[in-house]
Amino acid sequence: MLNIKNLHVQLEDEDKQILKGVDLTVEAGKVHAIMGPNGSGKSTLSYVLSGKGGYEVTDGSATLDGESLLELEAEERAAAGLFLAFQYPVEIPGVGNMTFLRTAVNAQRKARGEDEMSAAEFLKEVRATAKSLKIDADMLKRPVNVGFSGGEKKRNEILQMAMLSPKMCILDETDSGLDVDAMKLVAEGVNALRDENRGFLVITHYQRLLDHIKPDVVHIMANGRIIKSGGPELALEVENNGYADILAEVE
Ligand code: ADP
Ligand code: MG
Ligand code: MG
């Protein structure tokens, strides 16, 4: 489903190479996890896939269901079924969470040639989805993420993900800064969305998230490349021994 080949990326306004040949395939129905030391390029990979500016792709390709992503605008990638849950969700003062969600959902439906959801239909769906994620109805009325706790912001990302029903979900350290209960809620949200037609790329620092979201494949990223891939046991190895052994082995 998501197919990344030999992806090389540098900063647009600085001659600094960040991704140095990433190869990665995520099949429909599978959960792939990426772990790796700080600064290895994990967030950059998720930004480049979702269309954030400031990066230049100098080589390689990235396709979703065979369609090249890299030439598309960010909103076209979203319409194609890509979703990114941010490591640091942004606060948007003055924009109600519900309005934001409805605008996003309808923009996506429009881009796909589908009818807009009526206000009543949307309200019913968003309330039910929020409830299932244990999100307080009050949070729907407040401005996007403003004054939300760390856990509430992350759950709000999962709510957006659930409402947009993407084909390919990328979560960038959605567990960072969360207590165990909030992390479990995020994991439950992800698990509820697991589906044979949907792929996940879960970027995480901690093995403990992977206790709750059981990945099919674990990749280790370092210095702009995937240096090792394996099963869930690879995450346990990292938890127990850190990255040093794997880095040394690859060198
Ligand atoms: P990770 O998410 O694995 O911690 P990042 O993708 O955030 O890694 O960063 C990879 C490297 O690229 C780091 O050295 C970081 O400082 C650098 N980098 C990423 N984006 C920028 C930017 N916009 N300007 C300068 N350096 C950047
Ligand atoms: Mg980091
Ligand atoms: Mg990061």
Side-chain angles (χ1 to χ4, degrees), residues 6-10 17 19-22 56-60:
N6 194 34
L7 192 63
H8 284 71
V9 171
Q10 63 182 44
Q17 185 142 49
L19 300 184
K20 302 171 183 172
V22 174
E56 190 189 342
V57 176
T58 53
D59 203 1

Side-chain angles (χ1 to χ4, degrees), residues 125-135 159 162 185 188-189 192:
E125 188 160 328
V126 76
R127 280 187 178 148
T129 310
K131 196 172 169 200
S132 73
L133 292 168
K134 302 194 174 69
I135 287 173
L159 174 65
L185 277 175
E188 278 170 21

